[in-house]
Amino acid sequence: MSKIYTFLFLLFFFSLANAQNIVIKGTVFDSNTQLPLELATVYFSNVKDSTVIEYATTDKNGFFKINTKKYEKPVFLKVNYMGYQPYFEVQNGLLENKDFGKLYLLQNANILDEVVIKTEAPPIRIKKDTLEFNAASYKLRPDANVEIMLKQLPGFEVDSDGKITVNGKEVTRFLVNGKTFFDKDGAIALKNLPADLISKVQVSDFKTKKEELSKQESTSDYSSINLTIDEKKNKGYFGKFLGGYGTDDRYESSFILNYFNNKQKISLLASANNINSSGFSMDEVFDNMGGGRNAGTKTAGSGKGITESNLVGFNYSDEWTKDMEAMGSFDFSNTVNKNQSKSNQADFLPTGTIFTESNSKARNENTGNKANFEFEYKINPTTRIVFTPKVDQSRSNRFSESSSFSSDESGASLNESTSKSNRESTAANFSNAINFNKSFEKKSRNLSFVFSNNNANSNSEALNVSQTIFYQSSKPNDERNQNSNNGNTHDSYSTDIEYTEPITDSLRVLLGFDFEWDNQINDVKTFDYDGITKTHSVLNNSLSNYTTSRQNSITPKVGIIFEKNNFTFNFNSSTSIIDYDNHSLYLNKTTDLTQKYVLPYGRAQIRYKLDRSKFVTFRYDYSNSLPGSNQLLPVENLANPLNTIIGNPNLNPNEKNSANINFRNFDMRTRSGYSLYIRGDFFNSEVVSTSIYDASGKKTTTYRNVTGTYTTSIGGNWNQTIKKEAHVLKYGLGLNGSYSLDKGFTNAVLYDAKSLGVTPQVYFSYDYGELLTVAPSYKLSYNESKYANSSLKASSNVVHRINIQTTNYWPKNWVFGNDFGYTYNSKLSNNFKKDFYMWNTSLSYVFFNKKMALKVKVYDILNQNQSAARTISPTTIRDEENTVLKRYAMFSIAYKLGSFSGKEKPSRENRPTFF
């Protein structure tokens, strides 16, 4: 592993020093005023197919500089600037360093006022910290959705799980015309918006609402995408209806309907299915069929078992006045999950191993209502206020049965347990954030105020019947027939005040305070069954408890922000002064634990942009966090007959140092990009659990501090796209490694576990025009752990995953898709199957002017799907298998509709608006 780390480390720094072959530069001016033009887009494109080769934007002096490799084919040099006629000239190639000197642009003008001169929109434009793509510059299938469009844009990667990266940075938020689309990350827009609607794709660093309002530099290492709807398509409606029924009574139905009227947007969606899908993925080949192309989409349930799902959603956004914008969404969901599982677990002690076999089955029903709102009011040009209230209400019913049997290495029985439980619970939550921002006449002088609250309340009632038999001790068996009531209230309020003062054009100082108040109340009452009254009316004091936990803190903070050319440096330091009060009433005994803490925090971040697409980021964090009240209060928790938990009032806070460095680069000319990262988390103090086992395998768990633990990781990926006429070839590889040291106590003996993980992968895709797509991939996961002071000295596991996806769009109006995979898990227990094949297929026929599609789909053709998996922790190895969806066939029909005003002539913008 050390050789791999060394190789990636050397590659990392070699990449930083690697220089491009030639430099192209020049300066752009207004032809009339002779003044330089800032943020003009300068780019080279291939004469033959207009493919963008390299691009840049001009600085405040009109200067541009492009670092590129030699290119021996004829190219266009083009310069675009809004309000000016485009400039272009032909070059035989990019063969040597060249200074184009002064380039002059002519303003758009015409003596006839009613005549508007339209200039060509460049494929790519840079606007300060935003990278903008002109969607019309990229050829797509008429029925393509946004996700398919993003795959065509240079620097974009969409993996098999649906994760999107741009120039190596993961995208975590999607907006439509600058507003959220249903959920907070907006990912539902990817598969549900037709690409023909979109005029621009804008990529920028992800910003919090506070950073956005105060125009601060982003401190995030993620990206955000804004999809701008074509003005010609911003008034109308579109939607899709889907219904299907299959074998084993499998069914799916869903619809999404969108109405756009300039600033006003209204969307409604709904679904019902019993195939483990949320119903909103709208995959063009497999629709809502889980395990196929929907692997990365939002799914209903927990990922275990089979889920029946019913959902309804509503989304609204509008500009009520020029100073007031409003957004809102509502979601109703009802899911029923059924699952059966079996597991084998080995717990490693210093003197031996405990083996446990378990079986369980459960039915869990959840019903939820969520409403999210955002109101933004511009008090004046320099003052804005944003309210974001959220309401969440849920109800759940869970019934479960379980059994377990434990033995030692010699096969001697230790304990046996059976239980039945029926739990009903309700929860309600209200949260709100108020962001106020005031900018001043002096540039970068800013005042921000953020107030947030979260108020939650939950109640549950559970009927538990269990029996636990102990074979190796004199303790009596544990038999329970109980009714438990648990009430929990959690209220938190926080205020964040920051003032930013510019010292120079490049340097700013930040001063501020954070105030936080947090209060939790947990009231548990357990009643035993009374055989005389036939009711649960006898209070069990050992299983009843009343606890409260309150934190009050004030945190002064100071920071500096330095920005110069391509260099940004952020440093923030704060100190939290905390009153931490914990209280418990247990067995008629009151325990009060009041402590004061002074906890320092610090963060430093350096970003350096070597050129337009090559940049490096270094970040260091020092942080402290308090143990939870359950970890501190010395009160017994006897809820689990096989594990008694008690807190430790002498715990110290967690103290952690984190450092990471990232380097990313994308070469526009070769359509290739790579990213590298190194990260480490080092604990000066960490709270860990410690367990002592008795002769029958029953354990008593508490908490202690350990020092010197760490987790490190290193990795990288590389990809390239080759286009030649109708042929598009994409391929890439990735390698991720991790190494960690964990410590803890078992039977009062300190153990340590050193864990190594290596995950290489390779992927490939080939597209032939609009007719064929082939995408194979391979991924290997290797994990190894070595132990000290444990009965197990070492363990390892290897998982192989092979997948190939094909989609054929020939003959005309037919779509044939296949998704075939093979998984092999090397170290599963003998009573678990180590490997399985997974094959899904779909055949559809599109007709009625591509508005309607008939489809036949088969899930898990070979009927081999399974969910067996191995989990390795510092003290246990667990093999578990859960219920999975098995083979079924389904027939479905889909209908698409849409109508938009402003259509003028047949063109890409006027293709049928169906995805």
Side-chain angles (χ1 to χ4, degrees):
M1 184 61 189
S2 60
K3 293 182 179 179
I4 296 174
Y5 273 33
T6 302
F7 169 75
L8 289 174
F9 186 80
L10 293 174
L11 179 61
F12 181 95
F13 285 100
F14 171 77
S15 302
L16 293 180
N18 183 33
Q20 299 289 349
N21 291 2
I22 61 174
V23 176
I24 308 296
K25 59 184 178 180
T27 311
V28 180
F29 291 89
D30 183 304
S31 61
N32 294 328
T33 64
Q34 302 296 308
L35 295 175
L37 296 177
E38 183 181 4
L39 296 179
T41 302
V42 182
Y43 64 99
F44 290 97
S45 61
N46 187 299
V47 170
K48 184 176 181 180
D49 60 9
S50 298
T51 302
V52 177
I53 299 169
E54 279 292 354
Y55 64 94
T57 186
T58 57
D59 62 18
K60 63 181 179 180
N61 298 315
F63 177 75
F64 69 89
K65 181 180 178 180
I66 297 177
N67 297 310
T68 184
K69 295 178 181 179
K70 292 183 179 180
Y71 194 79
E72 298 181 351
K73 297 179 182 179
V75 298
F76 284 123
L77 165 65
K78 296 185 179 182
V79 183
N80 286 81
Y81 193 78
M82 188 172 296
Y84 288 77
Q85 298 180 32
Y87 174 94
F88 71 92
E89 61 177 87
V90 180
Q91 301 289 314
N92 291 328
L94 304 175
L95 306 175
E96 59 185 0
N97 295 339
K98 186 170 183 178
D99 187 348
F100 281 87
K102 296 181 177 180
L103 304 176
Y104 294 96
L105 299 188
L106 297 173
Q107 293 188 25
N108 281 336
N110 198 291
I111 56 173
L112 298 177
D113 292 340
E114 66 272 17
V115 176
V116 178
I117 297 178
K118 295 182 179 180
T119 62
E120 173 194 5
I124 300 173
R125 178 185 284 126
I126 304 174
K127 296 181 176 181
K128 294 186 178 179
D129 60 349
T130 300
L131 184 62
E132 182 179 282
F133 296 86
N134 177 25
S137 300
Y138 301 91
K139 185 179 180 181
L140 301 170
R141 292 196 303 271
D143 59 346
N145 58 24
V146 168
E147 183 180 69
I148 293 174
M149 177 182 65
L150 295 183
K151 291 180 180 181
Q152 307 303 315
L153 303 183
F156 281 70
E157 285 295 321
V158 183
D159 68 13
S160 59
D161 294 325
K163 184 178 75 174
I164 294 178
T165 57
V166 183
N167 295 335
K169 295 185 70 173
E170 183 180 351
V171 180
T172 57
R173 182 175 66 181
F174 298 88
L175 305 174
V176 178
N177 281 0
K179 309 301 179 185
T180 56
F181 189 73
F182 283 100
D183 47 11
K184 63 180 181 179
D185 61 11
I188 197 171
L190 297 180
K191 293 182 180 293
N192 290 282
L193 290 182
D196 279 343
L197 283 181
I198 309 303
S199 64
K200 299 174 184 176
V201 178
Q202 298 169 323
V203 183
S204 59
D205 291 337
F206 174 84
K207 290 186 178 183
T208 64
K209 181 58 69 173
K210 185 176 74 173
E211 290 172 337
E212 177 187 330
L213 293 175
S214 59
K215 299 181 180 178
Q216 295 180 10
E217 281 288 316
S218 168
T219 57
S220 169
D221 202 35
Y222 299 101
S223 290
S224 175
I225 287 180
N226 179 44
L227 305 168
T228 302
I229 295 178
D230 191 334
E231 292 182 358
K232 298 177 183 178
K233 306 285 183 66
N234 210 17
K235 192 171 184 179
Y237 65 90
F238 69 95
K240 178 181 180 180
F241 297 81
L242 170 71
Y245 186 78
T247 59
D248 297 325
D249 289 327
R250 299 297 171 200
Y251 65 88
E252 64 173 337
S253 61
S254 62
F255 81 86
I256 181 169
L257 188 62
N258 302 272
Y259 170 75
F260 292 173
N261 186 2
N262 297 321
K263 297 293 184 180
Q264 186 183 81
K265 297 173 183 62
I266 300 174
S267 299
L268 179 66
L269 51 75
S271 76
N273 70 82
N274 60 358
I275 55 173
N276 286 1
S277 173
S278 66
F280 300 137
S281 61
M282 297 296 186
D283 186 277
E284 63 172 351
V285 179
F286 287 98
D287 295 322
N288 302 311
M289 196 163 69
R293 305 301 175 85
N294 299 331
T297 62
K298 183 176 68 175
T299 58
S302 62
K304 297 179 180 180
I306 298 176
T307 300
E308 179 181 342
S309 172
N310 301 280
L311 299 101
V312 176
F314 174 82
N315 192 81
Y316 167 86
S317 66
D318 198 1
E319 186 176 290
W320 288 347
T321 69
K322 66 176 183 178
D323 296 323
M324 184 70 174
E325 295 181 356
M327 290 181 293
S329 66
F330 171 78
D331 294 276
F332 166 82
S333 64
N334 173 263
T335 60
V336 178
N337 177 269
K338 297 178 181 179
N339 183 44
Q340 294 190 44
S341 69
K342 67 175 183 177
S343 66
N344 290 347
Q345 179 168 310
D347 293 273
F348 304 105
L349 283 61
T351 55
T353 304
I354 297 177
F355 298 97
T356 303
E357 296 182 3
S358 301
N359 291 276
S360 68
K361 65 178 181 179
R363 180 189 185 276
N364 192 15
E365 180 175 3
N366 288 282
T367 302
N369 295 274
K370 295 181 181 180
N372 303 315
F373 304 93
E374 181 173 312
F375 304 96
E376 181 173 336
Y377 179 60
K378 298 177 183 178
I379 300 174
N380 57 51
T382 63
T383 309
R384 297 165 69 185
I385 188 168
V386 178
F387 299 87
T388 54
K390 299 179 181 180
V391 180
D392 186 357
Q393 181 273 334
S394 64
R395 177 182 293 274
S396 66
N397 294 278
R398 177 179 174 83
F399 172 78
S400 62
E401 292 181 306
S402 64
S403 63
S404 67
F405 175 81
S406 297
S407 60
D408 62 16
E409 291 177 315
S410 65
S413 300
L414 299 179
N415 61 70
E416 184 176 2
S417 177
T418 59
S419 68
K420 290 184 179 181
S421 175
N422 195 346
R423 177 182 296 271
E424 295 185 4
S425 61
T426 60
N429 183 79
F430 171 73
S431 63
N432 184 40
I434 301 173
N435 281 264
F436 172 86
N437 190 85
K438 169 68 177 178
S439 57
F440 297 89
E441 184 176 349
K442 186 175 182 179
K443 184 179 179 182
S444 298
R445 177 180 290 170
N446 192 82
L447 175 66
S448 71
F449 170 88
V450 181
F451 172 81
S452 60
N453 68 278
N454 188 81
N455 306 99
N457 181 277
S458 64
N459 292 278
S460 65
E461 182 176 354
L463 178 63
N464 301 295
V465 178
S466 68
Q467 181 184 44
T468 304
I469 302 172
F470 301 102
Y471 291 107
Q472 299 294 328
S473 66
S474 59
K475 70 164 62 72
N477 295 332
D478 187 300
E479 296 188 9
R480 303 184 182 186
N481 185 346
Q482 299 169 335
N483 186 26
S484 296
N485 295 278
N486 189 335
N488 184 277
T489 301
H490 184 197
D491 298 295
S492 64
Y493 302 88
S494 66
T495 301
D496 177 3
I497 302 173
E498 285 186 3
Y499 174 75
T500 305
E501 177 66 22
I503 306 302
T504 67
D505 289 344
S506 305
L507 180 65
R508 304 194 299 274
V509 175
L510 181 149
L511 301 172
F513 285 89
D514 290 341
F515 303 90
E516 295 186 13
W517 183 84
D518 186 280
N519 186 59
Q520 295 188 60
I521 300 173
N522 192 37
D523 188 6
V524 179
K525 288 185 172 62
T526 302
F527 298 89
D528 291 324
Y529 183 75
D530 187 337
I532 299 176
T533 63
K534 307 298 182 181
T535 61
H536 293 87
S537 55
V538 181
L539 181 66
N540 187 319
N541 289 311
S542 64
L543 290 172
S544 300
N545 193 7
Y546 179 85
T547 61
T548 65
S549 178
R550 185 178 73 250
Q551 289 188 46
N552 296 319
S553 67
I554 178 172
T555 307
K557 56 186 177 181
V558 62
I560 61 172
I561 304 166
F562 179 80
E563 299 177 41
K564 188 71 173 181
N565 298 327
N566 294 329
F567 179 82
T568 302
F569 172 72
N570 295 75
F571 173 77
N572 293 279
S573 178
S574 62
T575 300
S576 291
I577 304 167
I578 305 173
D579 289 329
Y580 194 20
D581 298 328
N582 293 285
H583 166 85
S584 175
L585 177 61
Y586 179 64
L587 296 177
N588 296 318
K589 178 182 177 181
T590 299
T591 302
D592 291 303
L593 192 62
T594 301
Q595 293 176 290
K596 294 183 182 295
Y597 297 90
V598 178
L599 302 180
Y601 299 84
R603 165 177 286 188
Q605 178 175 280
I606 297 173
R607 287 184 177 181
Y608 182 66
K609 185 179 292 185
L610 286 78
D611 58 30
R612 173 196 50 79
S613 62
K614 186 186 299 183
F615 54 94
V616 61
T617 301
F618 171 79
R619 178 181 293 171
Y620 168 79
D621 287 276
Y622 173 80
S623 62
N624 290 272
S625 61
L626 295 178
S629 60
N630 63 312
Q631 296 175 317
L632 287 169
L633 285 168
V635 176
E636 289 186 331
N637 181 344
L638 305 175
N640 185 344
L642 292 172
N643 185 16
T644 297
I645 303 173
I646 185 170
N648 178 5
N650 298 314
L651 290 176
N652 295 319
N654 296 289
E655 183 183 358
K656 183 174 71 171
N657 294 272
S658 299
N660 69 78
I661 185 168
N662 292 273
F663 176 74
R664 299 183 179 90
N665 177 52
F666 182 79
D667 187 337
M668 180 67 68
R669 187 188 69 84
T670 60
R671 295 295 191 277
S672 64
Y674 60 92
S675 64
L676 302 165
Y677 72 90
I678 302 174
R679 178 181 175 85
D681 295 318
F682 306 90
F683 289 88
N684 298 331
S685 175
E686 183 181 16
V687 176
V688 298
S689 61
T690 170
S691 298
I692 294 178
Y693 291 77
D694 66 12
S696 290
K698 182 181 184 300
K699 62 182 178 179
T700 300
T701 301
T702 186
Y703 303 92
R704 293 181 62 175
N705 289 102
V706 296
T707 61
T709 58
Y710 57 83
T711 300
T712 62
S713 57
I714 186 171
N717 65 76
W718 173 84
N719 62 82
Q720 183 170 31
T721 300
I722 298 176
K723 294 184 177 182
K724 187 175 182 181
E725 297 177 348
H727 305 275
V728 179
L729 178 64
K730 294 183 180 181
Y731 50 91
L733 55 89
L735 177 63
N736 297 281
S738 64
Y739 187 77
S740 63
L741 171 64
D742 294 286
K743 296 180 181 180
F745 294 86
T746 302
N747 282 354
V749 176
L750 177 67
Y751 72 83
D752 68 59
K754 297 178 180 178
S755 301
L756 168 70
V758 182
T759 307
Q761 60 179 322
V762 59
Y763 50 92
F764 171 94
S765 71
Y766 169 73
D767 291 274
Y768 180 71
E770 301 179 2
L771 300 179
L772 176 67
T773 298
V774 181
S777 64
Y778 169 74
K779 183 176 182 179
L780 179 146
S781 298
Y782 173 78
N783 293 279
E784 178 186 271
S785 296
K786 296 182 178 180
Y787 308 94
N789 295 328
S790 172
S791 59
L792 180 70
K793 300 305 178 184
S795 65
S796 63
N797 190 47
V798 178
V799 179
H800 301 270
R801 295 181 178 89
I802 302 172
N803 182 262
I804 181 168
Q805 297 179 355
T806 65
T807 307
N808 181 24
Y809 297 91
W810 184 88
K812 185 178 180 181
N813 295 332
W814 289 87
V815 181
F816 181 43
N818 286 276
D819 189 341
F820 181 82
Y822 172 74
T823 301
Y824 175 80
N825 197 324
S826 67
K827 295 292 185 176
L828 289 175
S829 305
N830 291 332
N831 56 339
F832 293 87
K833 193 171 184 296
K834 289 181 169 61
D835 67 338
F836 70 97
Y837 294 92
M838 183 68 177
W839 182 12
N840 303 325
T841 190
S842 166
L843 178 64
S844 64
Y845 177 70
V846 181
F847 60 101
F848 195 37
N849 194 26
K850 295 193 174 181
K851 293 181 180 180
M852 189 169 288
L854 298 178
K855 187 175 298 185
V856 177
K857 300 168 290 188
V858 182
Y859 178 84
D860 187 20
I861 292 178
L862 304 177
N863 203 32
Q864 290 196 15
N865 190 24
Q866 67 179 39
S867 69
R870 165 162 289 196
T871 303
I872 301 176
S873 76
T875 58
T876 64
I877 293 179
R878 180 181 177 86
D879 293 335
E880 182 177 345
E881 185 173 29
N882 293 276
T883 301
V884 295
L885 201 59
K886 303 291 281 188
R887 179 172 59 196
Y888 68 87
M890 182 175 290
F891 173 81
S892 66
I893 184 169
Y895 179 74
K896 304 173 184 179
L897 73 164
S899 176
F900 297 92
S901 60
K903 297 184 179 181
E904 296 175 350
K905 58 182 179 179
S907 65
R908 181 187 181 278
E909 291 83 358
N910 290 290
R911 288 173 175 171
T913 55
F914 308 114
F915 37 126

